Amino acid sequence: MSDPAPLGPTLRIVIVGAGMSGLATALGLARSGFTQINVYETAKDLGFVGAGIQVAPNLARQFQRLGVWDDVATDAVDLEEADVRACATNEILASVKMTHIADRYGQPHRVAHRSALAKALYNGCKAATPNITVHFNSAVLGVDFDETKLLVKQRGEEGDGHWVVADLILGADGIKSIVRKRMLAKHGEEDRAQETSQASYRVMLTREQMSSDRDLLAFLDSNASFRWIGPRRHVIAYPISNHTIFNISTTQPDINFAAAPTATYTTRADKSAMLAVYADFCDVVQRMLRMVPEGEVCEWKLLVQNPLRTWVDGNVALLGDASHPTLPHLGQGAAQAIEDGAVISWILSKLTDPADVNAGLCVYERLRKSRTEFLVSQAAVAGRALHLTDPEAQAARDEAFRQVANGGPNPDKWLDREVQDFVYGFDCINDAEKKWEAMFAEEKAKQ
Ligand SMILES: Cc1cc2nc3c(=O)[nH]c(=O)nc-3n(C[C@H](O)[C@H](O)[C@H](O)COP(=O)(O)OP(=O)(O)OC[C@H]3O[C@@H](n4cnc5c(N)ncnc54)[C@H](O)[C@@H]3O)c2cc1C
């Protein structure tokens, strides 16, 4: 734990959303000595959709900084290898060793259950009571940027809700962010969610459900991830929860949300529709998908956002998916969201005058915006390479995969050494430490 922040006892901080970035930011701030942190969350409880999540070295580093790593470590599986396979034939196009990652970046590449991460963060927040209060059943309906206050409506509350006044508001409210919507509206700009026309099935198999299939059990017992690529679609799968659960995530053209638009971006999906989408994939993928119990298929609509002009207005800032939602192909959405929160916590701990909050937030934006937006673009590039439809382009890509063993670049950006250096070799706090003084002076001079 660092020295208490000078503004720690006085700065009233409100966070919208108790997702990955909201909880991590609250905890980071409490650990820096802030004592008045209130988090408002629409949902009645954590309610995280169960799914696997990649815990890349840069994400593990932040959990360790937050002091909640041990709870994740028991769930996490170290990845030693990652296969890319042809969807129809199951041919291994590239088999990439992941064991160098621990030596190169100080942490292995792991995969874990999303709820293990959420619980670890939430337990950390609970242990920081009374400095952090998480208000569930509390939807934020409006933001007053000039007076730094939020309109909050609790479930069952009569009327239009009540105003909560703060010194700083952080919009960690995800892809559908109300804080972003209100900020853009204030600036006369459109909230432009960008259609990716892609959706993702997310399913999990237990050891018991897989027990009749030796090949699949071998996948579950391995320390490997498996990606089957095909035209416009792919399936990625890996063991989580200490090898007791096999996590499967797919990407395919969005048919269902497009046919029946809903306000939510996740829904229970039809198993037979999923099987039909992957009917031309190899037998082992078919067997895996057939094992999923009826009623346990979840589908996510994948959306991104055109880069925003700014993430900051007054003493209000956006972070995580609210500011830079991404396709999942680099496995960095939550990692980048949590890095955002780490940088905000670090910056706020440096401030000595509440009048400098806006300048501090502007430095945060400068430190984070180009990096996260570059990664969003790389996730889209990765998706295009994985989902090629032109046979000639596919053949060239598959040859590139085969050449990875000879040191060639990996078309699957997640597994490419250069991209890994950029993503995992970067410590957002070291970066902030290096640039803080000059950037802060520049932002102060602009005020
Ligand atoms: C298929 C798929 C696979 C993925 N795999 C990975 C992976 O392997 N690794 C990785 O790092 N990332 C992954 N991600 C991305 C990751 O899940 C997100 O980037 C991450 O959850 C973003 O965190 P967040 O806190 O910004 O938003 P969220 O986690 O979405 O949290 C936002 C919170 O705000 C609340 N909220 C919203 N509106 C309001 C309101 N008006 N008032 C109060 N509360 C509100 C919501 O209820 C929610 O709890 C994946 C995403 C998808 C779709």
Side-chain angles (χ1 to χ4, degrees), residues 15-23 40-43 45-46 48 51-56 59 111 114 117 135 138-142 171-179 199-202 238 249-251 266 300-303 319-338 340:
I15 299 175
V16 186
M20 288 285 173
S21 61
L23 292 175
Y40 291 91
E41 167 59 51
T42 311
D45 52 33
L46 280 193
F48 276 88
I53 194 159
Q54 292 182 26
V55 186
L59 179 55
V111 282
R114 194 188 167 91
L117 274 73
H135 307 261
S138 301
V140 170
L141 305 179
D173 47 346
I175 176 87
K176 292 190 286 175
S177 171
I178 184 104
V179 183
S200 170
Y201 291 119
R202 310 213 70 181
Y238 44 78
S249 171
T250 72
T251 305
T266 56
W300 298 38
K301 182 178 172 66
L302 300 177
L303 280 173
L319 66 151
D321 276 10
S323 44
H324 48 80
T326 182
L327 286 166
H329 314 316
L330 283 187
Q332 276 291 312
Q336 293 303 313
I338 289 173
D340 288 349

Side-chain angles (χ1 to χ4, degrees), residues 33-265:
F34 289 89
T35 58
Q36 299 193 50
I37 306 158
N38 282 282
V39 184
Y40 291 91
E41 167 59 51
T42 311
K44 65 178 189 329
D45 52 33
L46 280 193
F48 276 88
V49 179
I53 194 159
Q54 292 182 26
V55 186
N58 59 321
L59 179 55
R61 209 174 284 143
Q62 296 314 321
F63 269 78
Q64 289 173 354
R65 276 209 177 102
L66 292 171
V68 291
W69 175 249
D70 289 353
D71 288 350
V72 180
T74 48
D75 184 273
V77 170
D78 288 7
L79 279 190
E80 293 171 0
E81 198 174 303
D83 280 4
V84 180
R85 300 182 177 214
C87 72
T89 60
N90 200 24
E91 178 201 348
I92 298 177
L93 299 170
S95 185
V96 179
K97 288 274 171 250
M98 304 287 267
T99 37
H100 71 283
I101 288 185
D103 293 336
R104 204 168 166 87
Y105 311 110
Q107 301 280 341
H109 194 303
R110 305 169 176 100
V111 282
H113 200 301
R114 194 188 167 91
S115 67
L117 274 73
K119 264 188 224 149
L121 291 172
Y122 185 57
N123 288 341
C125 286
K126 276 201 300 198
T129 309
N131 299 344
I132 302 175
T133 310
V134 181
H135 307 261
F136 287 108
N137 286 315
S138 301
V140 170
L141 305 179
V143 187
D144 183 327
F145 293 85
D146 299 325
E147 301 207 3
T148 322
K149 60 185 191 180
L150 284 178
L151 182 61
V152 180
K153 184 153 180 175
Q154 266 172 298
R155 189 163 304 192
E157 181 177 350
E158 305 232 322
D160 298 333
H162 60 280
W163 286 96
V164 174
V165 182
D167 301 305
L168 165 67
I169 295 173
L170 298 172
D173 47 346
I175 176 87
K176 292 190 286 175
S177 171
I178 184 104
V179 183
R180 181 188 68 232
K181 277 196 183 71
R182 297 289 187 264
M183 191 184 284
L184 288 170
K186 183 181 174 221
H187 298 168
E189 295 168 40
E190 234 185 295
D191 192 18
R192 292 159 298 177
Q194 201 183 310
E195 269 296 333
T196 66
S197 303
Q198 294 174 57
S200 170
Y201 291 119
R202 310 213 70 181
V203 288
M204 292 192 286
L205 295 175
T206 61
R207 178 170 286 278
E208 206 184 6
Q209 286 159 349
M210 298 169 85
S211 59
S212 60
D213 192 317
R214 281 179 167 209
D215 299 339
L216 293 185
L217 275 181
F219 286 163
L220 180 62
D221 287 328
S222 74
N223 282 69
S225 88
F226 308 88
R227 174 127 66 189
W228 289 271
I229 60 172
R232 296 193 186 87
R233 294 152 298 159
H234 79 263
V235 173
I236 184 167
Y238 44 78
I240 56 170
S241 300
N242 199 18
H243 299 275
T244 58
I245 293 176
F246 198 54
N247 176 73
I248 307 166
S249 171
T250 72
T251 305
Q252 64 277 339
D254 169 26
I255 297 166
N256 299 325
F257 290 99
T262 65
T264 66
Y265 300 150

